[in-house]
Amino acid sequence: MVTVRAPATSANLGSGFDVFGAALGRPADVVRVEKADRTTIDVTGYGSEFIPEDPDANTVGAVAEALDAPAHIRIDKGIRPSSGLGSSGASAAAAALALNELYDRGLSRRDLVPIAGKGEATVSGEVHLDNVAPALLGGFTVATGRDVTVVDADIPLVACLPEIAISTRDARDVVPAGATMDQLVYTVGRAATLTTGMCRDDPRLVGKGMHDRLVTPARADLISGYNEVREAALAAGATGVTVSGAGPGVLAACYPDDRHDIASAMVGAFSEAGVDARAYQTKIGRGATLYPDD
């Protein structure tokens, strides 16, 4: 048996739509694999009742097929599906790393990124690497095509997850089809600011660079109470706030000592909007962890 823990991730980070991603210290999925004649899947944990166990409809089934590595795969979900925290990406990344080890395929983590991306396409309908790249490689990632750049950043974060479900496909439907030149220039400037902040471990620059006028406003409309939650987080000390991935998760960058107050403020603001929520006080973390011969 091989066991892998893969972290939650936050994609886009506001200004980096389909490009930026970050691994979070928590929460995480745990995937265990054993060799078998055919692939079977068991899912337990947070939101498991909403995840299909048919290998043809599950992210890890696609990964097993891509690696030609049939296995009995057990997924313990710590990341709720349809959360905006890379739930499907974490399972796909964990399965890719575990099956590569189980069958001694000899692939590097970078080699496994597009394979895990194929798995995530089972859910999203398209291959995107902005969740699976940080889930496998850790840190802050910039994915452009098949190329991935990794920055080992150290930025405190709060991820707040309301009890609202938004599918990736639905969230992509509201993304504007085009952008004006002014919007493009603004986004490039913010993305450059955020990247500089990651390279400098500077929460102020990262938060400033999260602001986006194109994709985030459209997705924010799908999240009840988003504007109030954002304002509450900023008032509590957040340096920047944005929708995490496709939502409904909301991500705040901050300084370490402000995490508790920000988490409380975000949960409280969702509560005032009539939405239950939980918050994870975390930071940018490492990629999937392998535990062989468990």
Side-chain angles (χ1 to χ4, degrees), residues 192-205:
T193 300
L194 188 149
T195 303
T196 301
M198 290 292 185
C199 293
R200 294 181 179 178
D201 290 334
D202 185 335
R204 183 186 66 83
L205 287 179

Side-chain angles (χ1 to χ4, degrees), residues 62-100:
V63 171
E65 182 178 2
L67 287 170
D68 189 21
H72 175 50
I73 304 173
R74 288 183 288 169
I75 307 171
D76 183 9
K77 295 296 297 180
I79 311 165
R80 197 197 77 193
S82 298
S83 62
L85 297 177
S87 179
S88 58
S91 294
L97 189 60
L99 293 170
N100 181 62

Side-chain angles (χ1 to χ4, degrees), residues 8 24 26-27 46-47 78-87 158-166 223-224 229 242 244 246-252 263 266-267 270-271 275-281:
L24 307 183
R26 55 189 290 265
Y46 191 13
I79 311 165
R80 197 197 77 193
S82 298
S83 62
L85 297 177
S87 179
V158 175
C160 190
L161 177 58
E163 289 300 320
I164 302 169
I166 298 175
I223 305 170
S224 299
V229 170
T242 191
S244 180
V250 181
L251 188 74
M266 295 173 82
V267 170
F270 268 125
S271 180
V275 179
D276 291 334
R278 65 177 67 186
Y280 300 96
Q281 298 176 50

Side-chain angles (χ1 to χ4, degrees), residues 1 123 144 149 205 240:
M1 180 185 292
V123 173
T144 52
T149 302
L205 287 179

Side-chain angles (χ1 to χ4, degrees), residues 8-287:
T9 55
S10 183
N12 305 331
L13 305 180
S15 57
F17 179 65
D18 277 358
V19 175
F20 291 167
L24 307 183
R26 55 189 290 265
D29 282 0
V30 176
V31 171
R32 296 176 174 87
V33 299
E34 295 179 271
K35 286 185 178 180
D37 294 333
R38 62 184 182 87
T39 295
T40 58
I41 300 170
D42 292 323
V43 186
T44 59
Y46 191 13
S48 58
E49 65 271 25
F50 304 112
I51 300 174
E53 295 183 339
D54 178 356
D56 292 332
N58 190 294
T59 59
V60 303
V63 171
E65 182 178 2
L67 287 170
D68 189 21
H72 175 50
I73 304 173
R74 288 183 288 169
I75 307 171
D76 183 9
K77 295 296 297 180
I79 311 165
R80 197 197 77 193
S82 298
S83 62
L85 297 177
S87 179
S88 58
S91 294
L97 189 60
L99 293 170
N100 181 62
E101 177 74 12
L102 185 70
Y103 277 89
D104 195 23
R105 292 291 186 247
L107 299 175
S108 70
R109 289 184 181 238
R110 286 184 177 273
D111 292 334
L112 293 172
V113 168
I115 293 172
K118 290 180 181 179
E120 188 165 18
T122 304
V123 173
S124 66
E126 301 176 65
V127 175
H128 298 286
L129 306 183
D130 48 358
N131 285 117
V132 295
L136 278 164
L137 305 175
F140 166 67
T141 59
V142 180
T144 52
R146 294 176 65 91
D147 295 326
V148 179
T149 302
V150 182
V151 176
D152 186 18
D154 184 11
I155 299 292
L157 301 167
V158 175
C160 190
L161 177 58
E163 289 300 320
I164 302 169
I166 298 175
S167 75
T168 301
R169 297 189 190 208
D170 288 345
R172 295 194 79 82
D173 286 344
V174 302
V175 174
T180 66
M181 182 58 69
D182 285 346
Q183 288 172 323
L184 179 61
V185 170
Y186 183 88
T187 301
V188 169
R190 293 291 172 156
T193 300
L194 188 149
T195 303
T196 301
M198 290 292 185
C199 293
R200 294 181 179 178
D201 290 334
D202 185 335
R204 183 186 66 83
L205 287 179
V206 170
K208 185 177 180 180
M210 283 181 165
H211 197 258
D212 160 55
R213 294 176 177 172
L214 188 61
V215 176
T216 302
R219 288 184 163 177
D221 287 342
L222 301 176
I223 305 170
S224 299
Y226 173 82
N227 290 328
E228 292 78 8
V229 170
R230 180 177 182 276
E231 291 304 316
L234 291 171
T239 60
V241 182
T242 191
V243 176
S244 180
V250 181
L251 188 74
C254 58
Y255 290 94
D257 293 343
D258 293 330
R259 281 179 289 197
H260 179 270
D261 289 347
I262 293 167
S264 296
M266 295 173 82
V267 170
F270 268 125
S271 180
E272 290 181 6
V275 179
D276 291 334
R278 65 177 67 186
Y280 300 96
Q281 298 176 50
T282 185
K283 65 177 183 176
I284 294 181
R286 64 181 182 176

